[in-house]
């Protein structure tokens, strides 16, 4: 449904349009819009030339900008894309430390991977530039203050609610991060005896600070929360506090792990709301790329996730979460996880 919008950058008009489309989809339910103070990344101009020929397919790494002109290996550093997207920041630091004017990362696709403290333009290319190639890069972009919305949908009323959410912003094609999760929730419902049920569609998960939308979502009446993000067939990573690991038995698992601080579930956990993140890092070869496209296995996989969600929520509804106690966790951003705080 939202595929027609193309890339949906946080804080943009396209993100607001996605929220409007979703609100219309849930026209038979009570919905609420919650304003989100965020930022929009605006690319005003972008151009890459290699040996005088204009490159048609490439991606600027958020939130880099600037211009450079020179040869690969002299003014411009060209490196193969690393074996994990989160290592891109290390390659960018190498380019800065060694005085290069631009960084080119190449593989068989184009990606958007954000880098910290951007000072020179960085480009993802779907081909390898050769040493000595003449390169010109021009990027005019800015991060500007913006406002967007979180959409709250009340599926079943109650005094306290179970909440299932997914973010709507995405880089490039973004099918599994995060259109698949959004589509999964379009017809999601489960009958609960002791809790109401809400759905949430979050703004601005991708940046410039992770999870800006979910940080600003009202949490006062939420008893339990599940975030669906970067789902990819045919299994899930079950990320939460150890006291909830037993619920993982409702899913086909890759592994169980401590909570991720880079997820829409984490702001809820920090607010005292037990929460679970379902994702799958089998997506990494396509993560934030222009080839994150539908897979023939998606439909069956999504139905399995939906069935697991329903079973988990029903069981937790019967057992209750009010008396759940857990050891406080703190983010470990270096290792992309959390640690216990004693």
């Amino acid at each position: 449904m939202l595929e027609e919008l193309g890339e949906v950058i946080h804080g943009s008009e396209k993100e607001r349009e996605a929220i409007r489309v979703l609100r219309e989809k849930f026209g038979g339910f009570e919905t609420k819009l919650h304003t989100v103070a965020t930022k929009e990344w605006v690319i005003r101009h972008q151009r890459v030339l290699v040996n005088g020929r204009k490159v048609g397919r490439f991606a600027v790494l958020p939130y880099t900008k600037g211009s450079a002109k020179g040869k690969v290996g002299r003014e411009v550093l060209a490196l193969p894309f690393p074996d994990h997207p989160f290592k891109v920041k290390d390659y960018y630091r190498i380019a800065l430390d060694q005085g290069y004017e631009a960084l080119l990362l190449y593989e068989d696709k184009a990606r958007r991977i954000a880098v910290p403290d951007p000072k020179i333009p960085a480009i993802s290319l779907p081909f390898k530039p050769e040493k000595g190639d003449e390169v010109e890069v021009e990027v005019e972009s800015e991060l500007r203050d913006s406002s967007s919305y979180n959409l709250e949908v009340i599926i079943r009323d109650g005094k306290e609610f179970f909440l299932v959410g997914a973010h709507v912003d995405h880089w490039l094609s973004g099918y599994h991060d995060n259109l698949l999760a959004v589509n999964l929730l379009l017809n999601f419902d489960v009958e609960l005896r002791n809790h109401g049920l809400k759905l949430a569609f979050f703004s601005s998960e991708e940046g410039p600070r992770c999870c800006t939308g979910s940080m600003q979502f009202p949490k006062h009446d939420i008893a339990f929360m599940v975030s669906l993000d970067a789902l990819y067939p045919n299994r899930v990573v079950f990320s939460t506090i150890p006291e909830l690991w037993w619920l993982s038995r409702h899913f086909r698992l890759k592994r169980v792990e401590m909570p991720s601080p880079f997820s829409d579930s984490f702001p809820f956990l920090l607010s005292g709301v037990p929460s679970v993140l379902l994702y799958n890092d089998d997506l990494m070869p396509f993560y934030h790329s222009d080839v994150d496209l539908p897979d023939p296995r998606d439909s069956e996989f999504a139905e399995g996730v939906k069935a697991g969600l329903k079973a988990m929520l029903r069981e937790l509804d019967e057992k209750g979460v009010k008396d759940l106690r857990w050891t406080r966790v703190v983010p470990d951003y270096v290792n992309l996880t959390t640690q216990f705080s004693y």
Side-chain angles (χ1 to χ4, degrees):
M1 184 175 67
L2 298 181
E3 291 86 339
E4 298 175 0
L5 292 176
E7 184 175 37
V8 177
I9 294 176
H10 51 79
S12 67
E13 176 55 33
K14 278 191 179 182
E15 184 181 71
R16 292 187 288 272
E17 176 63 18
I19 293 294
R20 285 194 290 268
V21 170
L22 288 167
R23 193 180 196 189
E24 290 176 4
K25 169 67 178 176
F26 289 98
F29 296 88
E30 181 182 353
T31 61
K32 299 177 183 179
L33 289 179
H34 303 285
T35 302
V36 175
T38 183
K39 289 186 181 293
E40 177 187 6
W41 184 44
V42 181
I43 303 175
R44 302 195 182 282
H45 170 72
Q46 54 182 338
R47 188 175 76 147
V48 177
L49 286 82
V50 177
N51 296 325
R53 299 186 65 176
K54 188 175 180 180
V55 177
R57 181 185 173 199
F58 66 91
V60 180
L61 271 58
Y63 301 92
T64 69
K65 60 184 177 180
S67 60
K69 183 176 182 180
K71 290 187 176 184
V72 172
R74 194 171 67 187
E75 292 85 7
V76 178
L77 177 62
L79 295 171
F81 193 87
D83 58 4
H84 195 288
F86 295 163
K87 294 181 181 179
V88 166
K89 66 181 186 303
D90 301 322
Y91 285 24
Y92 191 76
R93 175 53 57 188
I94 290 171
L96 290 178
D97 290 346
Q98 295 185 6
Y100 287 98
E101 298 177 17
L103 171 65
L104 307 179
L105 296 176
Y106 57 88
E107 52 178 333
D108 60 350
K109 59 185 73 72
R111 304 204 202 206
R112 295 207 200 276
I113 307 295
V115 296
D117 193 24
K119 290 184 171 65
I120 61 173
I123 305 294
S124 170
L125 292 175
F127 63 89
K128 179 182 178 180
E130 299 298 331
K131 186 175 181 180
D133 281 350
E134 292 280 354
V135 174
E136 294 182 48
V137 176
E138 298 173 359
V139 180
E140 296 178 13
S141 70
E142 68 168 328
L143 268 175
R144 65 183 184 188
D145 290 338
S146 180
S147 63
S148 190
Y149 302 99
N150 290 323
L151 174 63
E152 176 184 332
V153 184
I154 301 176
I155 302 297
R156 293 178 179 269
D157 206 359
K159 291 184 178 180
E160 289 190 317
F161 292 85
F162 286 177
L163 176 73
V164 186
H167 69 86
V168 302
D169 58 317
H170 62 84
W171 296 122
L172 300 173
S173 52
Y175 186 77
H176 295 92
D177 186 13
N178 202 34
L179 288 166
L180 179 60
V182 171
N183 290 340
L184 186 153
L185 291 181
L186 295 181
N187 297 298
F188 184 78
D189 189 10
V190 57
E191 187 171 351
L192 304 172
R193 292 176 54 187
N194 303 306
H195 298 86
L197 177 66
K198 290 182 181 181
L199 305 180
F201 298 93
F202 298 118
S203 158
S204 302
E205 188 270 348
E206 297 291 5
R209 181 184 181 188
C210 175
C211 317
T212 296
S214 54
M215 286 180 184
Q216 299 176 47
F217 192 88
K219 303 173 179 65
H220 62 280
D221 59 356
I222 306 301
F224 178 71
M225 187 270 182
V226 182
S227 174
L228 306 180
D229 191 1
L231 295 174
Y232 188 77
N234 272 327
R235 53 190 182 171
V236 299
V237 176
F238 195 87
S239 178
T240 186
I241 52 177
E243 289 81 0
L244 293 175
W245 284 356
W246 61 277
L247 291 168
S248 65
R249 62 193 180 85
H250 294 292
F251 301 91
R252 182 179 181 182
L253 292 174
K254 179 177 183 179
R255 66 177 181 274
V256 175
E257 67 179 22
M258 290 286 286
S260 167
F262 298 101
S263 71
D264 283 320
S265 61
F266 199 62
F268 287 83
L269 192 61
L270 291 180
S271 297
V273 178
S275 59
V276 169
L277 165 67
L278 299 180
Y279 77 103
N280 185 8
D281 49 12
D282 290 341
L283 175 62
M284 282 301 166
F286 314 104
Y287 177 74
H288 287 188
S289 79
D290 59 358
V291 293
D292 179 9
L293 301 170
D295 183 291
R297 302 170 294 170
D298 286 336
S299 180
E300 182 179 355
F301 170 63
E303 287 304 312
V305 172
K306 191 182 295 185
L309 268 175
K310 290 180 179 181
M312 178 178 70
L313 295 178
R314 287 194 194 102
E315 183 168 14
L316 204 56
D317 178 59
E318 291 295 329
K319 292 182 179 296
V321 293
K322 188 164 289 187
D323 297 326
L324 181 67
R325 297 290 181 269
W326 69 85
T327 304
R328 182 171 173 264
V329 295
V330 293
D332 177 359
Y333 294 115
V334 173
N335 296 302
L336 311 178
T337 184
T338 51
Q339 297 182 0
F340 292 121
S341 175
Y342 296 100

